[in-house]
Amino acid sequence: MKKVFLIFLLLLFLSFQVSLSQNKIDRSKKELKAAKEEPETKKRTTADDRKEMPLVGKVFMYMTWGVFKYVVIGDYNSEEHLENYVNRHPFQEQTLGNYTALKKERNFQFLVSENLLYSNSNLFANRLTLQYRPFSHFYFKTDFHQLFERNPISHTQDQLSLFQFNLMYDRIRFQEFNFGWNIGLTYIGNDIKQAGLNLGIHFDTFLIKNISFSGDLNWSSMNSIPVNTYTFKGNYHFRKNVCSFGFEHLKIGTPQYNFVTLGIGHYF
């Protein structure tokens, strides 16, 4: 009887381990695939349903445009910081951050950075970032995450590729601080091949010589499955180079991923 009980406990333990063998990346992929295969309900619209917009709707539309223009974009006629010029790199000459009131001959900025992300001995990733500011008004940013996860029970490895392509806009452009929003596309490769609209906010603050702090929050959805990324980093700048250390959180479906990140970048 004792042996039967021990065998039962062993089988129970093995079944529990097998249930744990389905790692985070595998769960994220399965949730994205399941949502992709769900049939979409199409709403029928006819010309008879279209009605002329009432006066209240027109007033609301103009109010929305006013909020968008002055809150989201800004007033270039009265806000002097919006006319600041972009630096080739932070702490260039006598300047502090990404922007300066001093006119530069070549006012563009191009940053390439590589970050290593570590969660545990079985879960890690890397993040490659390309950021190009052709001028001061808006710029472009591409992020590529490659996630790796080992399964110690089945001795297999799973991968997930996450791309983010964003148009960036800084609503605030002070020398010590810039803050803005971004809009773009999130794409997951591998055997998922799904894309979704991406919205986010970001900031950079420069408080001490050669030291800055930065962060970004991005929200996306693919067939109602959330794909979000949150990053906060401290940065040390020397000449055209930058070293960073921080924290990164990813949510892909139900699974959540927490990483410590260490990286290096260069401004061209």
Side-chain angles (χ1 to χ4, degrees):
M1 184 67 181
K2 187 177 181 179
K3 291 183 178 180
V4 174
F5 181 71
L6 291 175
I7 293 174
F8 173 77
L9 289 179
L10 180 61
L11 292 174
L12 183 64
F13 175 76
L14 290 175
S15 63
F16 177 72
Q17 292 296 320
V18 170
S19 66
L20 290 179
S21 64
Q22 185 185 24
N23 57 20
K24 288 185 175 182
I25 291 180
D26 189 48
R27 295 205 307 272
S28 293
K29 286 184 175 181
K30 288 185 176 181
E31 290 181 13
L32 289 166
K33 288 179 180 178
K36 185 179 180 180
E37 293 171 356
E38 289 181 359
E40 297 182 358
T41 58
K42 298 182 179 180
K43 296 181 180 180
R44 298 180 179 178
T45 58
T46 62
D48 297 334
D49 296 330
R50 299 175 184 174
K51 297 181 180 180
E52 185 179 354
M53 183 181 296
L55 179 61
V56 176
K58 292 181 180 180
V59 172
F60 179 77
M61 182 182 68
Y62 286 120
M63 291 178 61
T64 303
W65 166 246
V67 171
F68 178 79
K69 180 179 179 181
Y70 293 103
V71 177
V72 179
I73 300 298
D75 186 0
Y76 280 79
N77 293 323
S78 60
E79 298 183 60
E80 295 182 358
H81 64 92
L82 293 175
E83 299 295 343
N84 283 344
Y85 302 98
V86 66
N87 282 325
R88 292 293 300 274
H89 59 84
F91 302 103
Q92 179 186 3
E93 299 174 357
Q94 301 300 318
T95 61
L96 287 177
N98 289 313
Y99 296 96
T100 177
L102 304 175
K103 172 67 175 177
K104 301 295 181 181
E105 293 182 1
R106 303 175 63 189
N107 56 331
F108 73 90
Q109 185 186 105
F110 183 51
L111 170 65
V112 178
S113 65
E114 171 69 20
N115 288 265
L116 300 178
L117 285 66
Y118 179 83
S119 180
N120 55 59
S121 59
N122 295 318
L123 180 60
F124 47 94
N126 72 279
R127 175 181 180 178
L128 174 66
T129 299
L130 305 176
Q131 182 173 285
Y132 178 52
R133 299 174 184 257
F135 33 76
S136 303
H137 297 88
F138 60 87
Y139 54 103
F140 307 95
K141 185 178 180 182
T142 299
D143 284 295
F144 168 56
H145 287 82
Q146 183 67 49
L147 281 68
F148 304 90
E149 187 171 18
R150 289 196 296 256
N151 191 317
I153 298 177
S154 61
H155 301 287
T156 58
Q157 178 175 283
D158 213 344
Q159 300 183 25
L160 185 67
S161 300
L162 174 64
F163 298 85
Q164 291 174 317
F165 307 95
N166 282 301
L167 173 67
M168 316 288 289
Y169 182 82
D170 284 336
R171 174 62 180 85
I172 299 175
R173 302 175 196 161
F174 296 122
Q175 296 187 61
E176 300 85 0
F177 177 75
N178 59 263
F179 173 85
W181 52 264
N182 54 272
I183 184 170
L185 183 73
T186 296
Y187 176 78
I188 295 182
N190 305 102
D191 53 340
I192 304 299
K193 295 181 175 59
Q194 291 190 54
L197 177 67
N198 184 74
L199 298 172
I201 57 175
H202 56 269
F203 77 91
D204 297 279
T205 181
F206 306 85
L207 303 176
I208 311 173
K209 180 64 176 178
N210 295 339
I211 301 294
S212 72
F213 296 93
S214 60
D216 59 73
L217 294 82
N218 288 275
W219 297 275
S220 184
S221 178
M222 300 179 185
N223 297 316
S224 74
I225 300 297
V227 180
N228 307 327
T229 62
Y230 312 121
T231 306
F232 179 79
K233 295 188 297 184
N235 310 287
Y236 177 75
H237 303 261
F238 55 102
R239 297 180 181 177
K240 292 185 177 181
N241 306 298
V242 57
C243 292
S244 62
F245 177 79
F247 171 80
E248 185 155 347
H249 174 80
L250 280 70
K251 179 178 175 61
I252 306 175
T254 303
Q256 301 188 45
Y257 308 77
N258 295 312
F259 296 99
V260 174
T261 173
L262 179 66
I264 188 169
H266 181 77
Y267 290 89
F268 292 89

